[in-house]
Amino acid sequence: MDAITLTLNAFKILSFVVGLVPEGSKETEPLWIEGMGKYYVHQDISKTSACVKAEDRAKRDALAKYAGEYISSQTFMQCSDTDDCPTETTTYSAVSGTIAGVRNKIVKVSDGLNGDKVCRVSLEALIKRIESDPSFDLSVKMPDTLRDGEKVSLTINPTEPMFVNIFSSRADGKFDLIYPNIYEVDNHISPAGKKIPSNSSYVMKAKYVSRGTPIAIHKTLHIIATKRNVKFLDSYEGYKLQKRLLEIPSKEIRYVKTGYRVIRK
């Protein structure tokens, strides 16, 4: 049986990622909002990549302050054989604002935990509220913990018919499309819901990949729901996927994230 493998890469990070809850379908004047973010440099992430991710988190922080924030999270433990377990908290959300500009950006790289380097970014983002459709939404259910090689499945329950694309993120910042795929082309989901994979022609497996020694590693799936069938490439650089999403009218898209950890054998 063929398998689509979700490759996971270990990373050490201690942070809170804040999500946004839409507050209706109103337009407001753009505002300059301060934001801060950080990301640790480690064996799988260069200083440049870490600072790019830190800037992204600073922008999300500004968005949270602009639109209102919520904490809806799961806590994952990343452990090595000899070290204590740092806690990583991740929030799964959809964004209801767009950033039109950035000013006063400051980037600093300094010492972090366990001798690692951490990149910190502060900035001001010009944010404009975008219209959204609060009735166009979905829930995602999947196990929060899997073992290396264990099958991965998730159930999507939408509020109305939608087309769904699912991306898996990698440690290098790229996003790989895992659904739809050559084994399951139809990505239309009715309000009755759908389990993915929905047929026996393929499986998705969690794979533990790490250069270090953590007991468990964490990965995020990005679920993009649209009202019309939008075609995506098989892989994107992070910023290119975000740019692609901005081309879709905001009332026709819902972007949700969900995460799980993989325990090594």
Side-chain angles (χ1 to χ4, degrees):
M1 182 182 298
D2 291 302
I4 293 180
T5 299
L6 309 183
T7 302
L8 295 107
N9 297 280
F11 52 87
K12 289 187 177 180
I13 210 170
L14 179 62
S15 62
F16 288 90
V17 183
V18 179
L20 311 183
V21 176
E23 295 181 342
S25 299
K26 61 182 180 179
E27 292 281 356
T28 59
E29 291 297 319
L31 294 174
W32 288 101
I33 306 293
E34 293 182 351
M36 299 182 65
K38 65 180 179 180
Y39 205 96
Y40 280 88
V41 182
H42 56 84
Q43 58 218 22
D44 294 320
I45 294 291
S46 66
K47 181 174 71 175
T48 300
S49 295
C51 289
V52 169
K53 292 178 181 293
E55 181 175 347
D56 179 68
R57 291 184 172 186
K59 291 176 180 177
R60 290 179 179 273
D61 180 49
L63 280 167
K65 293 174 181 176
Y66 175 82
E69 63 187 33
Y70 76 102
I71 301 295
S72 174
S73 61
Q74 297 174 357
T75 299
F76 299 89
M77 305 305 294
Q78 298 179 131
C79 312
S80 68
D81 293 330
T82 57
D83 298 331
D84 293 333
C85 300
T87 301
E88 181 186 359
T89 303
T90 305
T91 299
Y92 316 115
S93 62
V95 176
S96 60
T98 183
I99 294 177
V102 172
R103 70 183 185 187
N104 298 331
K105 182 173 73 174
I106 299 175
V107 180
K108 293 183 179 180
V109 178
S110 58
D111 293 331
L113 298 175
N114 302 321
D116 294 331
K117 296 291 185 179
V118 59
C119 183
R120 292 180 171 86
V121 176
S122 62
L123 52 77
E124 290 180 87
L126 182 62
I127 302 174
K128 180 180 179 181
R129 167 77 66 181
I130 59 176
E131 290 191 76
S132 62
D133 182 354
S135 66
F136 186 70
D137 206 353
L138 70 152
S139 66
V140 181
K141 294 181 180 180
M142 67 174 294
D144 58 9
T145 302
L146 296 163
R147 291 194 175 276
D148 183 27
E150 190 173 353
K151 293 180 181 179
V152 178
S153 66
L154 61 157
T155 300
I156 295 178
N157 292 293
T159 56
E160 59 184 81
M162 58 179 56
F163 295 90
V164 171
N165 288 265
I166 303 175
F167 286 87
S168 177
S169 56
R170 292 165 24 186
D172 61 4
K174 293 183 179 179
F175 294 82
D176 295 322
L177 181 68
I178 62 172
Y179 176 86
N181 52 68
I182 60 173
Y183 306 102
E184 192 166 2
V185 178
D186 184 9
N187 64 333
H188 182 265
I189 300 179
S190 73
K194 186 176 185 179
K195 185 176 181 180
I196 301 171
S198 65
N199 62 63
S200 59
S201 63
Y202 75 102
V203 297
M204 298 191 297
K205 291 184 178 182
K207 187 176 182 180
Y208 181 98
V209 177
S210 174
R211 297 178 185 175
T213 57
I215 294 173
I217 54 178
H218 174 238
K219 187 67 175 181
T220 303
L221 295 181
H222 303 256
I223 297 96
I224 300 166
T226 53
K227 294 186 177 182
R228 55 189 174 88
N229 195 7
V230 178
K231 300 296 184 181
F232 290 92
L233 300 177
D234 291 337
S235 181
Y236 286 91
E237 299 285 348
Y239 74 94
K240 290 185 178 179
L241 177 59
Q242 297 299 324
K243 183 178 179 181
R244 180 72 179 89
L245 297 182
L246 288 175
E247 296 173 357
I248 303 171
S250 57
K251 287 187 176 182
E252 298 183 11
I253 185 172
R254 178 67 64 179
Y255 178 20
V256 175
K257 301 178 185 179
T258 190
Y260 59 94
R261 65 174 183 171
V262 175
I263 301 174
R264 72 174 183 230
K265 292 180 179 179

